[in-house]
Structure formats: structure tokens, C-alpha cells
Amino acid sequence: MKKITILLLSGLLLTGAGCSDYLDEDTTGLLYGPNVLSTQDGLESALTGAYKGLANQWGYGFLHPSANAAVLGADDVTTHPASNKTDWREFDQFNASTTNQRSNAVYNGCYKAIQGANNVINNYQKTVGTKATIDIIVGEAHFIRAFSYYWLTRFWGNIPLVMAGEYSDDLLTIKKSTPQEVYDLIVADLKVAETNLPNAKRDPGRPNKGSAKAFLADVYLTMAGWPLKQTDKYDLAAAKAKEVIDNAGTYGFELLPTFAAVFENDPASPGTREAVFQISGYLGGSGTANATYGNTTMPGEEGGWDDMFAELNFFRDFPAGPRKDATFRTEFGLGATKIPWQNSLTKHPYYQKWYIKGNIVTSSISLPSVMMRYPHVLTIYAEAKARGTGGPDQAAYDALNKVRLRGRAAGTKALTTADGLTPAQFADEVVQERAWEFACERTRWFDLVRLEKVEEANAKKSPDDLQPIKPIVKANYWFPLPYTDTSINPNL
């Protein structure tokens, strides 16, 4: 029985090749029909089905390190040169296959989330209930759909643009849409979310009005770069980011006083006020624990899996200070005896960011996957203002300095207009600061792509890191669509 990922839109999860999988599939939250969606509780349950696409441990979505693996083409993270890390190495060496389980987990999860969101968006007008609550549910659905398509088009470029919430035979011949068409929908969805969502999150794992504005700013920044290169979007990105900054307290966002506090990673904590949007994990729930922390980022000397660790030149160039101290782990060993990273099996530093408080060795934890932090909004404003009309203003310098000075060594001088930076030089400073701030947080790759600097960054790698197996071309910026789809639909 042939199946494609698009069949997720009818609730057919890709769990294997046999027809029995359809009979045994997990359909929790996948609610259809006018009777179910005619009630507010039914609509809320359908929204839960949309969220589920983003949060299934090891299966799909973002509660496991698949998205981290898929951005290894950047210069901040690498993986083991041998062992069982083939899926990881394909990205670092620019040889991603159509059957790669890491990228396909993101692909499958995003389309499952889109299916659930479409189900809400296409049926909410039939729902009887409190209008204010229904509006929020619809706003969250639009946010989830925009978020999912944003990840899909940045990874795969030309993708199927699906608006249906239920399966039809037309999905077996659906064609690819251009990035422009996808971004048009993303922007429209985020504008609805911006209007409908409240200032306060309903719980830490949901977006609010500030989340929608922040992602809209990030989307505009991306649209200004490759592949669309719509530079007029820089002004829009700056304006939208400034709205978030000016109302950060209203939205519950803040820059924590210390970088270490951001990554305390206490399993008892639901998250921090730096989280603009997070996907929450829950121990004890079916497939809802988070596997991005712990084993995957720990060295073999500590019982870890050696999945991801720092690239050498990135670590060596990283500015000294409290941020570097909290970002990297340079001595290994859970007991009293420690060895320096230079003497470890992989001879690389590892990322402290993904360790669990108490150095717990596990792959299941109730910690969130934070998909955007507030300092990202600060750097969006600083860069977009620099590249847009008039160049950087004092607010842009202030935004950059807040991030920069928190992370760097005591006594570091704030950047000022007296330093004589051109707008382009200031923008470059912001992009580099973002690399340090968000190291190993699924950010650097997307900056390199939109700025067309993937080739440059990889040319500067240490010879002791994995190298691309062939010259990098723009085609390598996007992954090939999964074989599960292309094998059955000639239009893909």
C-alpha cells in the first residue's frame, strides 16, 4: 500500500509500509465533521490535533533533535565523523537524501500541524460558543499554519501548498508552489494571528499577539534576503520588531539578566520570559517528552550519543565572557575525574545549552523546545533598521548592545555611532552577534542562507571538521522533497 506524506492530511501517519498501519494509527486530536466542530470544545480539540504535529518525540515535529540535524550545513554545529550518524552527516556534507529521517521528521510534523490548522480554519464559522474564545483558537491555528509553512519553505523551497483539512484524491496530484506563494500565505496567516491572539499566552506552549508580531518580523527579514530578495521588507521587519520591543512587558517578554539563567534547564520550570514561542514537553504524556536535551548533545565519555557538538573554528572565535562559559562544555566526565575536550574521543567542545540541570543522562525530559527567544527580536530590529531606510538609529544600537553586553566579558565597550560603522558594517556586526547568541539553536543556518553566505562560512571550516563532499551551489540551500511524496506524485 503506497502512502505519501500528503496523506497525513487525512490522518494517515507514516509509520511503516503495511496497510495495517492505517488501522492502528494514532488519530488523537484529528476530529472531523460539522457535528464535532460545531462546539467550542470540539474546535479546541481540533486545535490540539494541530499542535500535536509539532510535538511528538522521535516521530515528527520539534521535540527531538531532527531540526538541529537539518541545520548542520552552518558553521556552528557538526557531528561524529563515523558511528551511526549518517543522517546527521548528510547535512554537514551537503548530501541530503530524499529518505533522510531527520529532515523528513520535520516535514511530516509540519504537514500534520497544517492539516490540523486547516481543519480549524475551514470549519470555525460553524462553531457555536464564545466569540472571543473562538477567535483565539482561530488565531492560534493561523499561527501554527504560518509557523509550519515557514519551516517548510526555508528547508525545501518549492513545496505543496495545502489548504484542505481532509483528504481528497486531488492531493495525490498536487503541484509545488513557489516560495512567493508560500510566503504570501504565511504573512496573511500571521496577520490574522496578530489580530486574534491576546496579549497574554493561554499557557507557555501557545503563542500570543507578541509571538505573531515577532515571527512576522522574522518572516519579513527572511523575505528581504535569498531567494525573494525583496529588500523593501527590511523596513517592515524593523517596524514590526519595534512593536514587540516597545510592548515587551505587555507580551511577557524580557531579556534575562544573565545568559546562564536562560539555560538553567531545570525540568521543574515551564520555561522563561525569553521564550517568544516554545513547544512544551511533558514527561509521562504519550510521545510528548522532549528528546533534544541530554543524551543527544553529550559525549560518549558521559554516556551520551555524540550527535551534535561545536565546530572548532566557531568555538575558537567565540568571544570570551559569560555567554561562552554557559554555551560550551569543555571538560567531560560525570564523576570527579574530568578530561579536556582536546583529549576526548571526538576532540571537540560540546554544547552546554542542551544539558539538563544536574547533568542528567536521559533522552526524555519535560523541557520545552524554544523556537524563538526575545533577543532574536532585538537583533531583527537592529539588522533590519541597518539595512533599511536611513540606516541604524540609536534604538538599533541599543537593541544590539543589550544582547552583546550581556554575553561578553565585563568591561566590553558598547558600540556607538562614534565607532564610524557603515550601515552594512553594523548589520554584519548584528549577524555575527546573533551567531554567538543563538549557537546551536537552529538559527545560524537560516541567516547564512538568506544572506547567501553558506559557501563562505563552509570555506572557513577547520580541516578537522567534516567538509562538504562537493562544491556548494544554491541548489544545496534546499533539501530534496521526501521520496515518500515524490515516488507517488509525478508533480512533485
Side-chain angles (χ1 to χ4, degrees):
M1 176 181 178
K2 291 183 178 180
K3 294 188 214 170
I4 60 172
T5 302
I6 294 303
L7 290 179
L8 286 166
L9 301 170
S10 64
L12 305 183
L13 306 184
L14 285 172
T15 56
C19 292
S20 62
D21 296 330
Y22 171 72
L23 302 177
D24 299 333
E25 59 147 339
D26 177 4
T27 58
T28 305
L30 301 179
L31 306 176
Y32 298 93
N35 291 334
V36 173
L37 296 173
S38 65
T39 69
Q40 186 173 304
D41 286 346
L43 196 70
E44 189 79 79
S45 295
L47 178 65
T48 299
Y51 277 106
K52 185 175 180 181
L54 305 179
N56 183 275
Q57 185 188 47
W58 297 121
Y60 41 80
F62 298 91
L63 287 184
H64 49 85
S66 289
N68 296 67
V71 296
L72 256 65
D75 56 356
D76 57 338
V77 191
T78 189
T79 189
H80 201 292
S83 186
N84 61 344
K85 306 297 184 270
T86 300
D87 278 355
W88 291 76
R89 287 193 296 274
E90 284 187 357
F91 299 107
D92 211 4
Q93 297 183 306
F94 292 84
N95 191 38
S97 67
T98 61
T99 57
N100 189 289
Q101 296 180 18
R102 300 294 174 178
S103 57
N104 288 358
V106 176
Y107 187 90
N108 294 345
C110 285
Y111 272 113
K112 179 173 172 58
I114 288 165
Q115 172 268 322
N118 286 343
N119 194 27
V120 172
I121 293 166
N122 295 343
N123 291 285
Y124 77 92
Q125 291 179 336
K126 308 168 188 174
T127 303
V128 176
T130 304
K131 182 180 183 301
T133 302
I134 293 172
D135 285 347
I136 293 171
I137 294 171
V138 173
E140 288 185 26
H142 279 281
F143 179 90
I144 291 170
R145 188 167 71 178
F147 173 89
S148 300
Y149 272 126
Y150 190 36
W151 275 86
L152 288 168
T153 196
R154 286 185 298 169
F155 272 159
W156 286 275
N158 301 297
I159 56 172
L161 190 61
V162 180
M163 306 298 287
E166 298 185 53
Y167 172 74
S168 70
D169 287 343
D170 291 341
L171 294 174
L172 296 174
T173 56
I174 192 170
K175 296 181 180 180
K176 292 186 287 187
S177 295
T178 65
Q180 181 65 68
E181 292 169 321
V182 179
Y183 275 107
D184 286 345
L185 178 65
I186 292 170
V187 170
D189 275 347
L190 288 174
K191 287 182 176 180
V192 173
E194 179 184 20
T195 299
N196 282 32
L197 292 177
N199 289 337
K201 299 175 184 177
R202 291 204 284 168
D203 64 50
R206 297 178 188 269
N208 63 0
K209 190 181 296 290
S211 309
K213 289 177 181 289
F215 271 86
L216 188 52
D218 198 50
V219 167
Y220 284 144
L221 186 70
T222 300
M223 294 175 75
W226 189 91
L228 299 183
K229 298 185 179 182
Q230 297 172 352
T231 55
D232 62 301
K233 296 296 191 296
Y234 282 126
D235 286 346
L236 296 179
K240 194 57 62 176
K242 193 65 163 55
E243 290 179 27
V244 180
I245 294 169
D246 290 344
N247 296 281
T250 300
Y251 302 137
F253 305 151
E254 70 174 348
L255 191 73
L256 296 189
T258 67
F259 188 84
V262 182
F263 294 97
E264 185 180 27
N265 297 343
D266 185 350
S269 172
T272 77
R273 285 171 61 90
E274 279 207 8
V276 170
F277 177 61
Q278 70 181 40
I279 299 169
S280 296
Y282 302 96
L283 274 178
S286 175
T288 57
N290 198 337
T292 316
Y293 298 82
N295 295 63
T296 188
T297 191
M298 300 175 79
E301 288 89 346
E302 296 181 340
W305 298 341
D306 297 307
D307 285 339
M308 55 181 179
F309 38 85
E311 292 206 359
L312 293 173
N313 285 344
F314 185 86
F315 168 74
R316 289 166 178 157
D317 293 342
F318 201 106
R323 182 172 52 195
K324 186 169 188 175
D325 295 339
T327 295
F328 299 105
R329 194 177 184 94
T330 56
E331 291 186 328
F332 308 133
L334 296 176
T337 303
K338 306 287 185 183
I339 62 171
W341 66 265
Q342 295 91 336
N343 296 339
S344 68
L345 293 174
T346 62
K347 295 180 171 53
H348 281 72
Y350 280 63
Y351 276 102
Q352 176 74 22
K353 285 182 174 183
W354 297 105
Y355 271 68
I356 303 163
K357 185 177 182 179
N359 301 334
I360 299 171
V361 183
T362 182
S363 61
S364 293
I365 201 71
S366 57
L367 281 166
S369 284
V370 179
M371 307 308 295
M372 182 186 287
R373 293 196 285 115
Y374 179 63
H376 195 106
V377 181
L378 294 171
T379 59
I380 291 172
Y381 176 75
E383 182 190 352
K385 192 68 180 73
R387 299 191 194 278
T389 304
D393 58 5
Q394 186 59 50
Y397 273 87
D398 292 343
L400 174 57
N401 281 322
K402 286 178 182 177
V403 178
R404 189 172 182 270
L405 297 181
R406 182 183 72 167
R408 301 204 178 205
T412 298
K413 175 183 174 296
L415 293 177
T416 70
T417 54
D419 292 321
L421 296 175
T422 66
Q425 289 171 332
F426 179 83
D428 288 344
E429 287 284 342
V430 178
V431 172
Q432 187 59 68
E433 199 64 39
R434 189 185 292 125
W436 307 137
E437 176 72 19
F438 302 105
C440 197
E441 293 184 55
R442 304 172 294 253
T443 298
R444 177 66 168 165
W445 166 252
F446 296 120
D447 279 348
L448 294 177
V449 168
R450 68 180 174 83
L451 296 171
E452 299 179 86
K453 292 187 175 183
V454 175
E455 299 90 333
E456 176 186 329
N458 277 269
K460 296 177 180 177
K461 283 189 172 190
S462 165
D464 293 322
D465 280 327
L466 288 170
Q467 304 294 317
I469 63 174
K470 55 189 176 184
I472 300 171
V473 296
K474 289 295 185 294
N476 300 132
Y477 284 15
W478 289 337
F479 306 148
L481 289 175
Y483 178 77
T484 48
D485 277 19
T486 59
S487 64
I488 198 170
N489 181 354
N491 291 329
L492 300 183

